[in-house]
Amino acid sequence: RVHGGFPREHSAMSPKALKSILCLHGYSMTATSMQLAVRGIAKHLGKSCQFVYIDAPHISKDNSKGRAWWEAEKNPDGSWTYRNFEKSVAFLRDLDEGLGPFDGVLGFSQGAAMLSALVAMKTLPNPPLRFNFAIFVSGFRYTGQNHPHMFSSPDLFSTPSLHFIGDADQVIKPKSSQSLAKLFREPVVINHSGAHIIPQQTEHLNAISSFIDKFPAIANAHPKL
């Protein structure tokens, strides 16, 4: 399921180029709950951006009726295997073929980890998702055993990135988010006093605006949504 967040000021066929931002929700969330979680950001950027919300392709196993990008299973050696990760990559490749490229991607929690993998895959000859910048909220590095060499290169990622790190986050520890940011050449890091949330106070909204304003729109609003 795909939701397009069209701002009230512009219709889907508006001639003005809107920056398209794909939103990847966290574990056990849905496209609808992600849309609610970023509603302040979407309103703040409504005149310049179109947000696209999607359901991850797998049902989460926590009885929440939410969705997941994978199910994590810890191996005896302490590493992790992420079940259904490859299917999610194929799902996003199909999405890109139908609606891409996107100007940017915003990922929260597990969605941010998925985004970290997508950034790493941008170095492939045929990456599954095309985008110019990445916004991580409560992010952490993808560590699935099925791709152990994904982050083995000594080169830092050149994809422009913005990282929001909650100092009181007990779900994704700040140290994990900081480690992810260090993989990027010139990361913009914003710490906030909150926990496992998408911060939307004025200072955070202005930080997102300043970051996104650096990039010209590469595509008009998607009329297929």
Side-chain angles (χ1 to χ4, degrees):
R1 185 173 56 172
V2 179
H3 296 185
F6 294 108
R8 183 173 299 175
E9 293 84 358
H10 301 284
S11 71
M13 300 304 292
S14 171
K16 182 177 180 179
L18 299 177
K19 296 172 185 177
S20 56
I21 300 177
L22 175 66
C23 296
L24 305 181
H25 63 69
Y27 184 80
S28 81
M29 293 178 68
T30 64
T32 299
S33 61
M34 185 65 172
Q35 187 170 8
L36 291 173
V38 301
R39 61 188 180 276
I41 297 173
K43 181 178 179 180
H44 186 72
L45 300 175
K47 294 183 179 181
S48 60
C49 297
Q50 173 201 343
F51 288 77
V52 179
Y53 309 92
I54 59 174
D55 286 324
H58 313 293
I59 298 175
S60 61
K61 295 183 178 180
D62 63 353
N63 298 318
S64 67
K65 297 183 180 180
R67 311 292 294 187
W69 297 103
W70 60 74
E71 292 291 341
E73 298 179 4
K74 196 167 187 177
N75 301 314
D77 64 357
S79 63
W80 292 87
T81 294
Y82 291 172
R83 304 292 181 191
N84 294 321
F85 171 78
E86 299 292 351
K87 292 180 180 179
S88 290
V89 172
F91 167 80
L92 290 169
R93 186 181 295 278
D94 289 342
L95 180 77
D96 184 77
E97 291 177 356
L99 295 177
F102 296 93
D103 291 271
V105 183
L106 185 157
F108 172 60
S109 196
Q110 191 189 59
M114 187 75 213
L115 177 54
S116 77
L118 294 170
V119 168
M121 290 180 177
K122 288 185 70 176
T123 61
L124 300 176
N126 184 26
L129 193 73
R130 296 166 294 164
F131 58 97
N132 284 346
F133 61 83
I135 301 174
F136 299 90
V137 185
S138 294
F140 60 101
R141 179 171 63 90
Y142 175 85
T143 56
Q145 183 67 13
N146 38 354
H147 283 279
H149 304 299
M150 184 172 286
F151 297 95
S152 62
S153 172
D155 296 329
L156 298 177
F157 295 121
S158 60
T159 300
S161 63
L162 174 63
H163 305 255
F164 285 99
I165 301 175
D167 293 334
D169 195 334
Q170 297 299 310
V171 179
I172 306 300
K173 300 294 186 180
K175 183 177 180 180
S176 295
S177 296
Q178 292 161 359
S179 295
L180 172 62
K182 291 177 181 179
L183 296 174
F184 290 80
R185 189 172 299 165
E186 295 181 356
V188 178
V189 179
I190 306 293
N191 285 77
H192 63 89
S193 60
H196 196 63
I197 61 170
I198 300 176
Q200 296 176 75
Q201 295 180 359
T202 300
E203 60 189 286
H204 309 126
L205 299 179
N206 289 339
I208 292 177
S209 293
S210 297
F211 177 76
I212 292 178
D213 284 347
K214 300 175 185 177
F215 312 101
I218 62 172
N220 287 325
H222 299 293
K224 295 181 181 180
L225 292 175

